[in-house]
Amino acid sequence: MMQPVNRLKLAPSILTADFARLGDEVRSVESYVDWFHLDVMDGHYVPNLTFGASTVEAVRRSCEVPLHVHLMIENPLRYARTFIEAGAQRVSFHPEVVPDAREVIDHITALGGGVGIAVHPDIDVDVIGPHLQTLDVVLMMTVRPGFGGQPFLHEVLPKIRRAKELVTAAGAEADIEVDGGVNLSTVDEAVDAGAEIVVAGSAVFDGIHPVAAARRMRERLDELEQRGR
Ligand code: DX5
Ligand code: ZN
C-alpha cells in the first residue's frame, strides 16, 4: 500500500523479536510500518553481539518493507557492502569510530545505499554539520547503544531539536530518526522535538502482542500527524 510521503514513520527494531520465527514476526506488523530497523552489534563498539548480513537477508526475503541497518560496529567501512548486498536500503554508522566519516559516506553512497550518521547520546550533534547534504538520515540515539529495552534519555531532546535545525538551515533533506526507549509514553516528546521516523523495539516486539502494539503506535503517530505534530 502506498503511504503519504511526509507522514510520521514507524520503524520497529527487530532486536527483541522472536528470532525463531523472524519472518512471521516482521510480516505480522508489516502493514503498520514504514521501515524495519536492524541493529548490528559487534561486541567491540558496544558490549553486545547481535547478527550479521544473513539475518538482514532473511528479513529482506520475508517482507516488502525497506530495511535500515544501524551499524554499532568498529569497522563500518569493511562491512557496509555486505549489508547493502544483503538488502539494506539505508546504512547508518557511528562517526566517532572511523578516521574519516566522509570516506564511509562516499563508500555507502557509491554502493547505492542511503546513508545515516548515528549520534550517540555523548557525542556532539554538530558532528553531522559537514555532511548534511549527503545524508539520508540522522539517527539520534535516545539510549546508550548496546541493548533494547532501556529508558528514553530525555536529556537528548534538545539535541534532536538542534539536529532538526541544522538540517533545515542547510536546506538538506535528511530524515530525523529517533532511536531508543520510544514507546507510547515517550513518542510525543520525540515527535515534538523533531522526529520524523521513530524506532520502536521493545514497544512493538514486546513478546506479547506485536500486532496490537504496532497498531497502537501507528495510531498515535497518525493522531500526532493530524494534530499538526
Ligand atoms: C540500541 C539500539 C536501538 C534499540 C531500540 O542499541 O540501537 O535500536 O534496540 O530498542 P528499544 O526501542 O527497546 O529501546
Ligand atoms: Zn538502533
Side-chain angles (χ1 to χ4, degrees):
M1 192 201 322
M2 287 293 288
Q3 306 291 1
V5 176
N6 290 321
R7 76 165 187 170
L8 291 167
K9 295 185 171 65
L10 177 59
S13 163
I14 65 165
L15 198 53
T16 52
D18 179 353
F19 275 59
R21 31 187 303 280
L22 190 52
D24 291 341
E25 289 273 80
V26 297
R27 272 191 297 274
S28 73
V29 299
E30 186 172 6
S31 62
Y32 300 111
V33 314
D34 302 278
W35 290 88
F36 280 113
H37 181 97
L38 282 70
D39 290 304
V40 174
M41 307 186 190
D42 67 351
H44 294 281
Y45 176 67
V46 287
N48 195 9
L49 285 163
T50 55
F51 50 80
S54 58
T55 300
V56 175
E57 202 183 333
V59 175
R60 173 71 295 136
R61 275 188 270 109
S62 304
C63 70
E64 304 292 325
V65 176
L67 309 182
H68 179 186
V69 168
H70 175 191
L71 294 178
M72 285 160 278
I73 68 175
E74 276 187 349
N75 199 333
L77 194 58
R78 179 186 293 172
Y79 292 104
R81 175 187 292 275
T82 171
F83 287 103
I84 289 171
E85 288 177 354
Q89 270 86 347
R90 286 183 172 176
V91 175
S92 287
F93 69 99
H94 287 260
E96 66 272 27
V97 299
V98 297
D100 183 358
R102 166 62 45 203
E103 184 184 17
V104 181
I105 291 169
D106 289 348
H107 177 65
I108 295 170
T109 304
L111 291 167
V115 191
I117 282 186
V119 182
H120 186 292
D122 298 333
I123 295 287
D124 192 331
V125 66
D126 287 19
V127 69
I128 64 176
H131 308 296
L132 284 168
Q133 302 297 344
T134 46
L135 294 180
D136 295 275
V137 57
V138 177
L139 185 63
M140 297 300 298
M141 295 218 61
T142 39
V143 296
R144 292 199 165 70
F147 299 91
Q150 302 183 76
F152 185 86
L153 295 174
H154 292 85
E155 59 266 36
V156 179
L157 289 168
K159 283 173 58 173
I160 299 171
R161 290 202 166 80
R162 170 83 180 145
K164 180 67 185 160
E165 281 166 15
L166 287 169
V167 169
T168 305
E173 295 192 344
D175 296 324
I176 304 290
E177 179 166 340
V178 172
D179 183 17
V182 178
N183 53 40
L184 286 171
S185 304
T186 56
V187 66
D188 291 25
E189 291 170 279
V191 169
D192 183 59
E196 292 148 338
I197 304 175
V198 294
V199 177
S202 47
V204 167
F205 292 114
D206 57 358
I208 308 168
H209 295 302
V211 179
R215 187 189 317 122
R216 278 198 295 272
M217 280 296 282
R218 182 67 258 161
E219 287 168 356
R220 186 64 195 146
L221 292 173
D222 290 343
E223 283 165 16
L224 292 169
E225 190 82 71
Q226 277 156 22
R227 187 205 280 185
R229 302 190 187 180

